[in-house]
Amino acid sequence: MQTFQLEEHNSMTLFIALNMIRETQDASLQFDFCCRAGICGSCGMVINGRPGLACHTQTRDLPNHITLHPLPVFKLLGDLSVDTGTWFRNVGTKIESWIHTTKEFDPTAQEDRMSNELATQIFELDRCIECGCCVAACGTARMREDFIGATAINRMARFISTRATTAPRPITMN
Amino acid sequence: MRVFESDVLCIGAGLAGERVAVEAAQAGFSVICLSLVPPKRSHSSAAMGGMQAALGNSIMGEGDCPEVHFTDTVKGSDWGCDQEVARLFAETGPIAMREMAWMGVPWSRVVPGEHTYYKGGKPFQATEKSENEGLIHSRAFGGTAKWRTCYTSDGTGHAVLFTLDNRLLQLGVDVHDRMQAEALIHDGQRCMGCVARDLRTGELVGYFAKATLIATGGYGRIYRATTNAIICDGGGQITAIETGVVPLGNMEAVQFHPTGTVPTDILVTEGCRGDGGTLLDVNEYRFMPEYEPEKAELASRDVVSRRMTEHMRKGFGVPSPYGEHLWLDIRHLGEKHITTNLREVYDISTHFLGVNPIRQLIPVRPTQHYSMGGVRINKDGHAYGLQGLFAAGEAACWDMHGFNRLGGNSLAETIVSGRIVGAKLVEFLQGYETVFSTQSMKDAALTVKGRIAALLRGTGDDCYTLRNAMQDTMMEHVGIFRNGKDLEAGVAKLQELLERSKNMRLASGNIPGPNGELSMALRVPGMLKLALCTAYGALMRTESRGAHAREDYPERNDQQWLNRTLAYWKEGDTLPTLKYEPATPFYILPPGDRGYGGGKIITADISSEKNSALRTTGVRRATWDAI
């Protein structure tokens, strides 16, 4: 367990704090930030016991003593960096996370119609950014290596709802 | 060193990179995608707005067609774009959007009946036709003639990127994430792949490929204040220019946005000012009416950015550990308005800045946003200078954006150019065989090892110091409004930094494994070269066009500057070598007035033998239908 001391500034987030530590105190510190705007899902970590996105976690909302751990369940790469990419690719392949259709694309034809209500519904289910926080917090995922986790179940719901593109009919799982 | 071999190597797996990968995989070729991060985390995922395409399904898009989209794009580019490419883009747009719908993108759709829409902040009623129910809808964006921006609620980039990545899973494409491309493998004639560094282990890995694609996005990270993600450091462009034979196009064409927030540089919408928000300085004084008596905060983006910069230079900026900034005040708009119409602004301010805009001021400053320039490719996506090298998306200069890109057009470019370049790459590969040179791979690997060895021996500045100095120099000297004196000083400073980078030292010492500091240190010299291409290109272009604005040369000079800058870097040089080519092979839309942004034009008779930029190539007029 490494300990660092930092002076807090206004509007300091963990993104700013960790980069300051790396640039002024310990250049070997490993962590993953990418968009730093809460949208790419790279910076999931355990912050004082709870998984969350570090980039939009402000230090002023935390006590003076902040403990950071890498997300459990995912393979540890070093310090606060874990391999979520491989995990999500594996589970995505397992649940066949793509549109299943035999229909070929016709570049000369107009698009198939869809109700805006359904499109919005699908998008709401598509919002997940695969940050891994829910998987890391999940007791079952920690105990069972074969558990696909909440993200995959959500993703399956997203693809199932796509099937309802024509007149209402019972939705079945393949 | 581990070596992989494939038909196609995509360096970068965002929207453009993955769209090309999908095209190649669908055609049965083996594809490997390299990415700094898991592909779904690419910066494409942050794009919210939408993709422009002339579908004409919505009532406000009625009568839209590719020719109108083409016209908007050419005007937007301030006539700097390649009109053949712009036309190709506009025509392919609708097909590409429909194809994405087939792949699963949940585009927002037309709902028939009366709706309340907004124009210039004012609501109005419009009726969507019932015969268009369920077709792909479109919203307004960036002052276009018709509303044609296709979108999925508020997360278009995310929706399309995830759809493409899912398709990549389906097609079984190999994705190697946490890989940083360090050098292209080439022999001066052909590109044969790249040598990359594995960010899990620190090892070098070789990739042989018949066709290599650069799709690494923009290079905003050469600036201190940028909306770009951390990974947008121009990695692909660096490998291209360091070959010595591949040029970068129009690097001086950089787009800024007036209100990026501080410290995270997340954009705050223009709607704040549109709804009545004001800009204040360190004394909480509203300064804009002093500079722009008529329009104040509602002057054009370029003008607002300029005035903000001017005012801070005079010493009225608010000091902060994150650099100087100004204040955006929306308190007087009231709680109800802020938490509904400006909800996004409220969320950004509270989540990232710890600022409650109902009671507090929002720190803002002009922020770099988009790179029009990049690896110069022809209309088919082939990079100039090396056979077997391609580029697509923001990393490329195709050139549909010229000197200013329209909102919604860059997102559309990713999948439209991805589709077109992907098809041409597939065509290139049909029946193509080549020889992979172990000597060339060895040379590339030795180059990278040499750099690492130099860093371990170095005794000078650490990479963060040099990077910060570069970023500050770019903000100060190569910003929104430029002039000869500042540009010269900027170029000199960057040259000094490049020299100092030769003796760069690793503060963390020789730590085995990934070593984040080493990753950054390996990038810095290349970023300095991109910065010099940008600064020097800006210095040499003695006119104003689109986003490139010179205070000392305020006119758009069609007589001498209807061309595109090509920046080459010869090994050992301290400055790029600049060449120029005509902006476009022909004019469907002859140069004219954009109708916004102001400014005077020195006109050119494009058929005139006397026009120096056009003389040697016989650039001609053309009509839409004749092409």
Side-chain angles (χ1 to χ4, degrees):
Chain A
M1 187 72 126
Q2 282 179 283
T3 306
F4 301 98
Q5 299 243 53
L6 206 58
E7 193 177 310
E8 194 177 20
H9 299 302
N10 277 341
S11 303
M12 182 179 266
T13 60
L14 289 178
F15 163 72
I16 293 167
L18 284 168
N19 274 290
M20 270 187 179
I21 293 170
R22 182 149 80 181
E23 291 178 23
T24 59
Q25 297 184 42
D26 180 359
S28 72
L29 192 57
Q30 286 179 66
F31 47 75
D32 299 316
F33 288 103
C34 183
C35 75
R36 52 89 171 92
I39 204 160
C40 74
S42 290
C43 62
M45 59 181 71
V46 179
I47 304 161
N48 283 355
R50 293 183 76 91
L53 293 182
C55 72
H56 69 190
T57 302
Q58 291 176 57
T59 53
R60 71 172 200 182
D61 292 334
L62 299 169
N64 284 347
H65 191 104
I66 304 169
T67 305
L68 302 174
H69 289 104
L71 289 182
V73 178
F74 302 98
K75 182 177 170 198
L76 177 67
L77 296 172
D79 297 331
L80 298 167
S81 176
V82 298
D83 192 349
T84 53
T86 306
W87 195 93
F88 280 108
R89 282 205 105 66
N90 287 341
V91 91
T93 306
K94 191 169 179 177
I95 64 166
E96 298 187 7
S97 162
W98 51 78
I99 298 282
H100 287 70
T101 179
T102 48
K103 190 170 179 196
E104 299 240 328
F105 174 63
D106 180 359
T108 60
Q110 205 176 51
E111 61 269 30
D112 282 346
R113 293 169 194 250
M114 179 187 281
S115 79
N116 194 51
E117 199 186 309
L118 178 62
T120 310
Q121 228 179 65
I122 294 170
F123 183 71
E124 287 304 314
L125 290 167
D126 202 46
R127 276 187 189 280
C128 167
I129 61 175
E130 294 189 351
C131 68
C133 289
C134 65
V135 174
C138 175
T140 307
R142 291 197 68 177
M143 290 189 287
R144 301 277 307 256
E145 256 188 55
D146 59 344
F147 182 49
I148 58 174
T151 53
I153 295 170
N154 177 72
R155 181 65 60 76
M156 286 168 70
R158 177 250 182 272
F159 283 104
I160 288 167
S161 64
T162 312
R163 288 156 162 264
T165 53
T166 52
R169 64 190 161 100
I171 297 168
T172 54
M173 271 176 68
N174 253 1
Chain B
M1 184 168 82
R2 269 180 301 152
V3 176
F4 292 91
E5 189 250 316
S6 60
D7 296 320
V8 184
L9 179 70
C10 291
I11 304 175
L15 281 171
E18 290 204 319
R19 183 62 188 84
V20 172
V22 162
E23 197 71 24
Q26 277 171 180
F29 292 104
S30 61
V31 183
I32 294 179
C33 288
L34 296 188
S35 177
L36 285 173
V37 292
K40 282 175 164 127
R41 312 223 187 282
S42 304
H43 200 42
S44 304
S45 66
M48 304 233 161
M51 303 189 173
Q52 285 201 42
L55 287 163
N57 295 332
S58 64
I59 195 68
M60 297 306 292
E62 197 171 45
D64 195 18
C65 63
E67 197 169 348
V68 179
H69 188 183
F70 163 84
T71 304
D72 284 343
T73 301
V74 172
K75 282 184 178 167
S77 79
D78 219 358
W79 277 270
C81 75
D82 179 324
Q83 296 200 11
E84 188 174 20
V85 168
R87 182 205 161 103
L88 192 55
F89 161 75
E91 287 188 322
T92 310
I95 302 171
M97 301 307 144
R98 292 183 179 124
E99 192 172 34
M100 291 318 301
W102 168 78
M103 274 194 229
V105 171
W107 297 114
S108 291
R109 304 288 180 141
V110 175
V111 176
E114 209 177 76
H115 294 268
T116 304
Y117 293 132
Y118 287 82
K119 194 164 181 170
K122 294 186 169 59
F124 66 95
Q125 302 299 109
T127 307
E128 296 291 350
K129 293 181 167 171
S130 58
E131 61 256 40
N132 289 343
E133 178 172 12
L135 295 178
I136 299 171
H137 195 31
S138 59
R139 59 154 60 123
F141 224 78
T144 53
K146 299 279 180 191
W147 291 19
R148 71 170 77 86
T149 301
C150 307
Y151 63 102
T152 63
S153 294
D154 60 351
T156 306
H158 167 99
V160 185
L161 181 63
F162 274 52
T163 299
L164 275 175
D165 199 49
N166 289 337
R167 185 107 174 99
L168 239 64
L169 277 179
Q170 183 179 18
L171 292 165
V173 169
D174 272 322
V175 170
H176 295 198
D177 67 11
R178 294 177 187 267
M179 296 299 297
Q180 178 161 300
E182 294 294 347
L184 290 178
I185 300 168
H186 71 100
D187 61 0
Q189 310 279 341
R190 298 168 300 138
C191 178
M192 293 168 263
C194 86
V195 168
R197 190 163 160 271
D198 188 332
L199 300 178
R200 284 179 174 79
T201 60
E203 292 174 333
L204 294 186
V205 183
Y207 290 89
F208 272 133
K210 292 181 184 173
T212 304
L213 174 86
I214 291 175
T216 54
Y219 58 97
R221 283 278 150 180
I222 64 171
Y223 284 88
R224 172 74 93 162
T226 172
T227 61
N228 286 195
I230 293 162
I231 55 173
C232 304
D233 53 15
Q237 292 87 316
I238 294 170
T239 62
I241 201 172
E242 283 183 341
T243 61
V245 293
V246 178
L248 301 180
N250 281 349
M251 290 296 279
E252 64 269 27
V254 176
Q255 188 175 76
F256 284 79
H257 191 286
T259 52
T261 55
V262 182
T264 49
D265 302 312
I266 301 170
L267 274 179
V268 144
T269 178
E270 213 158 294
C272 286
R273 285 171 283 131
D275 291 357
T278 54
L279 291 167
L280 308 178
D281 68 14
V282 66
N283 301 317
E284 296 196 17
Y285 166 68
R286 188 184 168 204
F287 59 91
M288 279 305 293
E290 221 180 78
Y291 293 95
E292 301 288 328
E294 218 187 279
K295 295 233 166 179
E297 283 86 356
L298 297 180
S300 67
R301 272 189 193 185
D302 298 358
V303 172
V304 176
S305 301
R306 172 192 190 179
R307 299 307 190 180
M308 290 170 75
T309 310
E310 252 181 81
H311 201 60
M312 283 193 283
R313 277 185 184 173
K314 286 182 185 163
F316 294 108
V318 182
S320 91
Y322 312 112
E324 281 198 345
H325 62 80
L326 296 163
W327 298 115
L328 174 64
D329 187 4
I330 58 171
R331 295 173 298 183
H332 48 283
L333 300 181
E335 179 165 350
K336 183 157 188 294
H337 186 93
I338 293 172
T339 53
T340 51
N341 301 44
L342 296 175
R343 185 57 202 240
E344 199 196 282
V345 174
Y346 179 78
D347 285 345
I348 289 168
S349 304
T350 48
H351 280 139
F352 291 94
L353 315 178
V355 162
N356 183 345
I358 299 168
R359 281 185 284 282
Q360 294 170 286
L361 302 171
I362 308 170
V364 294
R365 65 185 165 199
T367 306
Q368 192 279 350
H369 186 47
Y370 183 82
S371 318
M372 274 73 78
V375 177
R376 179 68 180 126
I377 54 173
N378 66 15
K379 69 181 196 300
D380 294 340
H382 287 258
Y384 283 19
L386 278 182
Q387 188 189 50
L389 183 63
F390 297 77
E394 192 172 349
C397 183
W398 192 20
D399 176 11
M400 59 172 276
H401 303 301
F403 278 80
N404 185 50
R405 66 113 189 146
L406 296 180
N409 255 5
S410 53
L411 211 54
E413 179 189 21
T414 59
I415 56 156
V416 174
S417 76
R419 182 177 210 273
I420 292 169
V421 173
K424 288 298 176 183
L425 187 148
V426 163
E427 217 176 273
F428 169 78
L429 285 175
Q430 303 289 4
Y432 178 74
E433 294 304 334
T434 187
V435 176
F436 291 143
S437 160
T438 54
Q439 182 65 56
S440 299
M441 174 171 278
K442 191 172 174 185
D443 290 343
L446 282 176
T447 301
V448 183
K449 284 180 184 164
R451 289 177 189 158
I452 297 173
L455 283 164
L456 294 174
R457 284 193 305 266
T459 56
D461 309 279
D462 67 82
C463 65
Y464 302 117
T465 302
L466 292 178
R467 181 205 63 192
N468 293 346
M470 168 186 68
Q471 291 176 332
D472 287 338
T473 304
M474 293 306 287
M475 293 307 293
E476 263 296 303
H477 297 272
V478 198
I480 293 153
F481 276 78
R482 302 154 173 188
N483 61 71
K485 186 162 146 288
D486 284 338
L487 287 168
E488 266 169 29
V491 168
K493 180 70 184 175
L494 291 168
Q495 283 181 297
E496 183 211 314
L497 293 173
L498 186 61
E499 187 58 36
R500 277 161 60 184
S501 76
K502 291 178 182 163
N503 191 23
M504 221 181 340
R505 148 193 81 90
L506 286 177
S508 55
N510 186 4
I511 302 175
N515 197 336
E517 188 195 6
L518 178 59
S519 302
M520 172 64 71
L522 284 171
R523 271 282 193 266
V524 165
M527 289 171 81
L528 281 165
K529 287 178 186 161
L530 298 187
L532 275 159
C533 289
T534 306
Y536 191 57
L539 174 63
M540 291 293 115
R541 182 171 287 271
T542 50
E543 65 147 3
S544 290
R545 186 176 296 269
H548 170 71
R550 290 280 300 253
E551 293 167 309
D552 45 356
Y553 294 94
E555 293 117 347
R556 190 183 88 196
N557 187 342
D558 289 350
Q559 274 286 342
Q560 292 173 325
W561 287 102
L562 265 175
N563 57 28
R564 178 173 306 102
T565 310
L566 298 175
Y568 292 83
W569 199 291
K570 297 195 193 124
E571 201 181 326
D573 277 0
T574 59
L575 273 183
T577 304
L578 301 185
K579 300 198 169 132
Y580 296 90
E581 61 175 10
T584 180
F586 47 70
Y587 288 90
I588 299 167
L589 192 66
D593 201 311
R594 286 197 287 180
Y596 52 83
K600 209 176 130 217
I601 300 170
I602 298 171
T603 54
D605 177 359
I606 59 168
S607 60
S608 168
E609 300 262 306
K610 294 200 174 86
N611 189 312
S612 56
L614 310 171
R615 189 177 13 184
T616 49
T617 55
V619 179
R620 65 194 198 282
R621 283 292 304 274
T623 58
W624 180 269
D625 297 317
I627 307 296

